[in-house]
Amino acid sequence: MIKRLLTCALALSVTTAASAETQVVQPAVTYESAEPVPLSFSYRKGLRFGYNYVNKGAEQNPATPLDEPRLSSPHMFAMGFEMQQTMSGGDWLDILFIQNVTISGLEQSLIIPSANALVGFEINKKLQAGVGINAAPVDPADADNFVHLVAAVGWTQPAGSLSVPLHLVFIPDVNEYWRCAVTTGVNW
């Protein structure tokens, strides 16, 4: 019980709200320029929805053979909220910080929350890649592994004042209960 509470506290501590609504655009600096570009941040946030798959998610757990499997299917719908902060590099490469909270399993009458915090990079304001930490209060293996690595790659397509992201996510697990997801949504 203590481990679950600590996992929830960790997940809440790594998620932060974006505080600015304006996007600052800095002029590009050429290599001949002697002046460095001052660092600036831009912020995006938005809703997410998509598909999750949990390997061995609907199989009987060998550690608890008398219990029913938690999931009736390893395929789940996911929905959540994501915040992104981008530190402008002044040209084609930016540093990216991502936090999101997702709930899965609603189609199976379950609430399976998870939180992610990633750091990575963004190329030309569209291609994104990052790695970080995933925390969830439920471990399908019942081995008290509530924290995992998360790796993601994505594409964000501008759409006027909004943008549409498409992300692929992979979360490995030492007990072969790895997860993968495909999500999309809208940013503002």
Side-chain angles (χ1 to χ4, degrees), residues 2-14 113-117 132-140 143-150 171-175 177 179:
I2 284 288
K3 287 184 180 181
R4 288 184 189 213
L5 290 174
L6 289 174
T7 301
C8 289
L10 174 66
L12 288 174
S13 69
V14 296
S114 74
N116 299 293
I133 185 172
N134 167 272
V138 177
D139 178 21
D144 293 338
N145 294 326
F146 303 114
V147 179
H148 294 86
L149 173 78
V150 59
I171 303 170
D173 183 73
V174 295
N175 296 312
Y177 285 92
R179 293 173 276 167

Side-chain angles (χ1 to χ4, degrees), residues 81-143:
F81 187 78
E82 182 170 289
M83 296 172 291
Q84 298 178 2
Q85 299 84 37
T86 306
M87 183 188 307
S88 177
D91 199 7
W92 58 272
L93 183 65
D94 299 327
I95 305 287
L96 186 63
F97 303 96
I98 300 174
Q99 308 86 38
N100 68 37
V101 177
T102 305
I103 295 175
S104 301
L106 293 174
E107 78 289 347
Q108 297 181 42
S109 297
L110 297 171
I111 295 178
I112 305 171
S114 74
N116 299 293
L118 295 95
V119 63
F121 57 88
E122 183 175 56
I123 299 173
N124 290 330
K125 309 276 186 230
K126 293 182 180 173
L127 180 63
Q128 303 170 335
V131 296
I133 185 172
N134 167 272
V138 177
D139 178 21
D142 287 327

Side-chain angles (χ1 to χ4, degrees), residues 44-89:
R44 289 181 289 219
K45 58 188 170 211
L47 303 172
R48 297 291 179 270
F49 58 91
Y51 165 81
N52 281 344
Y53 174 78
V54 180
N55 187 51
K56 298 179 11 178
E59 293 179 12
Q60 184 68 39
N61 187 343
T64 56
L66 300 178
D67 292 343
E68 292 287 323
R70 285 192 180 135
L71 300 175
S72 57
S73 170
H75 309 279
M76 295 183 288
F77 175 76
M79 59 189 252
F81 187 78
E82 182 170 289
M83 296 172 291
Q84 298 178 2
Q85 299 84 37
T86 306
M87 183 188 307
S88 177

